[in-house]
Amino acid sequence: MISYSYVDEYINQWRNNEIILNKERILLIEWLEQDILTMDNIYFDSGQIENYIQFTEKWYFQLGPFQKFISCFVFLRYKDDDSLVFDEFFIYMARGAGKNGYVSSKANYFISELHGIDLYNISIVANSEDQAKTSFTEVYNTIDMNDDLKGYFKHQKAMIESVDTKSVFKYRTSNASTKDGLRDGAVIYDEVHEYENNEVVDVFSGGLGKVRDSREFFIGTDGFVRDGFIDRLKERAMRILNREVTVKEDSLFPFMCCIDNEDELHDTNMWQKANPQFHPPMSEYAKTLYKKVYKQYKKLENDASGYENFVTKRMNLPRINMEKSVTSWEKIEATNQTYNLDDFRNRECIGTVDYASIRDFAACGLLFVEGDKFIMPKELTQSFACKPFVDKHYAYSGIKSEGNNKKENRKFAPIREWEQQGLLTVLHKDTMDPHLIVKWFVDRRKEGYLIKKIVGDNFRMELLKPLFEAEAFEVEVIRNPDAASALLSPKIELAFDNENIIFGDNPLMRWYTNNVLVVIDNKGNKLYRKKE
């Protein structure tokens, strides 16, 4: 087994009970010791490791044991061709753990003569310009305040260039359509919880490979929107840590920090699981940060409104406020269960329709009951959306404007992706055609599904009911949806809790469900609204 002092130091801190690790980092150590460090054809590039650490500690800050630990694997190589063992890095930690500072020093080092690769360009990518500039500005200011560095780097407001290697460091926003043709040595993706899908990563990663030792860094704290890019990245990381794939199949290095469960929030000693800056002994920076986080925690005793944000951001444990949501994200994910579509032909079902507005969305589906299970097969659902609406709110046509900026649009609704999957049809019309909705149910009936009745609320059913009845459908209109919600909410909660609601692998239905807002009226009844 190969070893390196900084790797041994960090692992021994944990084995000697000097620090506490979350389950993902324990799996990381087990995986490294059993599958990686036992390889006889790899070595730690000590020259690069020591150069980087000395460079960072001279010009930026003292690296903690966990940062030195990660850095060793940034420079882990195969003996035969000197290629990198890991060329992707997922650094997932709580807010304040120093992710940006760490990649700032990395970017500055990578473009320097110490790294020694000419034209090793760096891009740091984020959804907003302010976030993309965070690390860039830190490097800029470090050079600007040190005359010795000015002889090695030309620093401008939009670009930093190494005098010796001609390598360039730039910040970029995630408007992926304008970034083809890049020649980067490394790409840093900041705040990856804001990425809607892998479109941005695909474009920027396409510019890699033209310079040796290409790397990608994914950094971020978790957020509130599920089924986005970060959830897929976490799933990928767990497959690696659970040893379902080999390093030859997936060369991602996952360093993941979070509390293991919500109860650990109330044990301050467990906070180091989410934020390794809190590993003892704490630096002065960490002590100051700890005091701030502790004050925020104590405020929750008198004002619980910040609880969800605190757990998600400070403890890096995604949490859905159960007083606002119909169920937890884990239970929403549990709707992805298999079924045999052929089993539903010639069986009775209920046709369901949600036709909220003639200018935005309409959703249709067939609901089957099987014992305690409620099944709405993915293949037997369809949504319709008007193109002007999805252009404005989701940049469907790829045009971002003042009307569909980040704050206003519901960013994590990849309309085009869902359309390609056949889950949704975008209508090139200003208003919804009700005949399309009726036709969808007529077509399903022709396919052999026995639609007992069509059910919808009274908001638009006065328009749809005569059209359905003209096709010989029985229609039931829910006259008082709030009263129905109050009666049904216990059954709905129980069905989700027992994982008896089945959609199959339907990201659109998961999105719909996650967007349900639960409000409690003055009588204590639960009513269903929309979060966005």
Side-chain angles (χ1 to χ4, degrees):
M1 178 183 293
I2 67 168
S3 63
Y4 203 80
S5 58
Y6 305 123
V7 174
D8 295 342
E9 177 190 4
Y10 191 61
I11 294 175
N12 288 335
Q13 281 186 317
W14 169 64
R15 292 204 190 282
N16 295 333
N17 297 317
E18 297 169 18
I19 62 175
I20 301 173
L21 301 182
N22 56 308
K23 61 184 179 183
E24 287 83 358
R25 274 184 289 169
I26 294 172
L27 286 172
L28 173 64
I29 290 173
E30 293 173 352
W31 170 61
L32 291 172
E33 290 186 332
Q34 296 177 41
D35 289 11
I36 305 301
L37 300 178
T38 54
M39 297 168 64
D40 58 10
N41 62 332
I42 62 174
Y43 74 100
F44 287 107
D45 187 341
S46 59
Q48 289 290 341
I49 294 169
E50 299 301 334
N51 279 346
Y52 165 70
I53 291 173
Q54 290 171 22
F55 176 85
T56 299
E57 295 192 338
K58 181 176 182 178
W59 300 112
Y60 285 89
F61 49 83
Q62 293 297 302
L63 289 162
F66 77 95
Q67 292 164 323
K68 293 178 182 178
F69 172 83
I70 297 170
S71 298
C72 290
F73 294 96
V74 174
F75 300 107
L76 183 64
R77 299 182 181 278
Y78 289 105
K79 291 178 180 178
D80 53 357
D81 59 3
D82 266 353
S83 63
L84 299 172
V85 176
F86 299 106
D87 55 13
E88 296 179 76
F89 298 84
F90 181 28
I91 303 175
Y92 171 77
M93 300 185 288
R95 178 181 286 167
K99 298 178 295 295
N100 278 104
Y102 180 68
V103 296
S104 298
S105 67
K106 274 279 187 284
N108 199 172
Y109 176 78
F110 281 146
I111 67 172
S112 75
E113 64 174 329
L114 289 171
H115 187 223
I117 301 179
D118 292 339
L119 304 177
Y120 195 88
N121 299 330
I122 310 290
S123 288
I124 185 161
V125 188
N127 272 351
S128 69
E129 183 173 305
D130 284 346
Q131 184 59 41
K133 288 173 69 175
T134 301
S135 285
F136 179 89
T137 302
E138 185 172 8
V139 176
Y140 178 94
N141 290 339
T142 299
I143 296 170
D144 199 55
M145 293 187 294
N146 292 281
D147 290 339
D148 287 345
L149 286 177
K150 291 177 183 177
Y152 295 97
F153 303 99
K154 297 177 182 177
H155 60 305
Q156 303 169 29
K157 290 296 183 183
M159 182 180 74
I160 297 168
E161 182 181 9
S162 168
V163 172
D164 293 289
T165 67
K166 304 304 178 186
S167 303
V168 170
F169 178 32
K170 289 185 176 182
Y171 62 87
R172 304 178 187 274
T173 56
S174 56
N175 185 359
S177 60
T178 65
K179 303 301 183 300
D180 288 315
L182 299 174
R183 291 181 59 91
D184 281 327
V187 182
I188 300 165
Y189 306 96
D190 199 359
E191 297 292 2
V192 290
H193 72 272
E194 294 183 351
Y195 290 14
E196 167 181 337
N197 50 40
N198 62 351
E199 179 184 2
V200 172
V201 174
D202 287 347
V203 170
F204 280 90
S205 65
L208 296 170
K210 301 168 186 176
V211 182
R212 69 182 177 92
D213 289 358
S214 296
R215 298 175 175 92
E216 293 176 277
F217 293 84
F218 305 93
I219 67 171
T221 299
D222 221 309
F224 301 100
V225 182
R226 304 274 52 94
D227 239 2
F229 177 78
I230 196 170
D231 280 351
R232 304 286 80 78
L233 189 57
K234 289 192 295 184
E235 289 173 4
R236 178 185 167 194
M238 290 310 300
R239 285 196 296 272
I240 293 169
L241 296 179
N242 288 324
R243 302 164 72 189
E244 297 172 16
V245 294
T246 67
V247 71
K248 288 291 189 180
E249 295 170 317
D250 195 335
S251 53
L252 174 74
F253 183 88
F255 190 82
M256 304 171 70
C257 307
C258 54
I259 57 174
D260 289 323
N261 59 70
E262 204 166 322
D263 291 339
E264 292 181 345
L265 163 71
H266 305 294
D267 183 349
T268 57
N269 202 36
M270 295 295 127
W271 291 2
Q272 60 185 293
K273 287 186 175 185
N275 192 331
Q277 293 284 356
F278 295 158
H279 287 326
M282 283 191 275
S283 65
E284 290 304 313
Y285 165 81
K287 290 176 183 177
T288 301
L289 176 65
Y290 180 86
K291 290 177 182 176
K292 181 177 181 180
V293 175
Y294 187 75
K295 286 180 181 178
Q296 292 174 342
Y297 169 71
K298 296 303 287 184
K299 284 181 181 178
L300 298 178
E301 294 178 0
N302 299 315
D303 180 9
S305 62
Y307 185 85
E308 184 178 5
N309 188 72
F310 186 88
V311 175
T312 302
K313 291 298 185 181
R314 290 301 191 187
M315 300 294 112
N316 211 24
L317 186 71
R319 185 183 189 276
I320 294 177
N321 187 335
M322 295 308 295
E323 290 186 355
K324 296 180 180 178
S325 301
V326 67
T327 189
S328 69
W329 177 249
E330 289 73 22
K331 294 302 182 182
I332 295 175
E333 284 188 312
T335 62
N336 183 6
Q337 300 179 38
T338 59
Y339 50 78
N340 186 347
L341 188 62
D342 292 337
D343 291 344
F344 300 106
R345 291 190 189 276
N346 301 313
R347 280 180 50 184
E348 281 194 347
C349 59
I350 296 293
T352 66
V353 60
D354 184 354
Y355 189 15
S357 169
I358 63 172
R359 297 185 184 278
D360 49 39
F361 275 88
C364 311
L366 302 186
L367 178 67
F368 298 82
V369 177
E370 192 173 273
D372 293 330
K373 296 187 180 297
F374 300 90
I375 307 169
M376 186 173 285
K378 176 176 73 172
E379 298 83 355
L380 300 179
T381 65
Q382 183 65 198
S383 292
F384 300 92
C386 295
K387 184 175 181 294
F389 180 83
V390 293
D391 274 343
K392 178 180 178 182
H393 294 285
Y394 305 105
Y396 167 77
S397 296
I399 302 170
K400 297 195 175 185
S401 66
E402 208 172 295
N404 59 32
N405 63 29
K406 179 186 157 192
K407 288 185 178 179
E408 291 180 20
N409 76 15
R410 299 168 182 83
K411 185 166 180 14
F412 291 84
I415 301 298
R416 191 172 294 278
E417 182 179 316
W418 291 338
E419 182 182 32
Q420 291 169 350
Q421 294 176 20
L423 302 174
L424 182 147
T425 302
V426 175
L427 307 174
H428 290 240
K429 299 180 178 181
D430 291 334
T431 57
M432 197 73 61
D433 182 355
H435 292 88
L436 283 176
I437 297 170
V438 176
K439 182 179 183 301
W440 185 86
F441 286 99
V442 170
D443 290 343
R444 302 293 81 73
R445 184 170 60 186
K446 290 178 180 177
E447 292 171 356
Y449 300 103
L450 308 181
I451 303 172
K452 187 176 182 181
K453 65 174 69 172
I454 307 289
V455 179
D457 66 37
N458 62 352
F459 185 61
R460 292 292 175 193
M461 286 304 281
E462 76 278 3
L463 176 64
L464 289 170
K465 185 178 179 182
L467 300 179
F468 278 123
E469 290 178 337
E471 294 290 346
F473 285 111
E474 180 185 347
V475 178
E476 181 172 329
V477 179
I478 302 173
R479 299 293 178 188
N480 189 341
D482 282 352
S485 297
L487 290 171
L488 287 173
S489 60
K491 295 183 179 180
I492 292 172
E493 289 177 6
L494 188 62
F496 274 111
D497 285 346
N498 292 332
E499 300 181 2
N500 284 332
I501 294 181
I502 301 172
F503 299 142
D505 188 7
N506 191 334
L508 181 52
M509 282 302 297
R510 292 195 294 268
W511 181 72
Y512 282 151
T513 307
N514 198 34
N515 195 41
V516 173
L517 174 70
V518 179
V519 297
I520 300 176
D521 66 12
N522 56 10
K523 297 180 181 178
N525 296 315
K526 290 187 175 182
L527 312 177
Y528 297 125
R529 302 287 186 264
K530 293 179 182 178
K531 293 178 182 176
E532 298 182 334

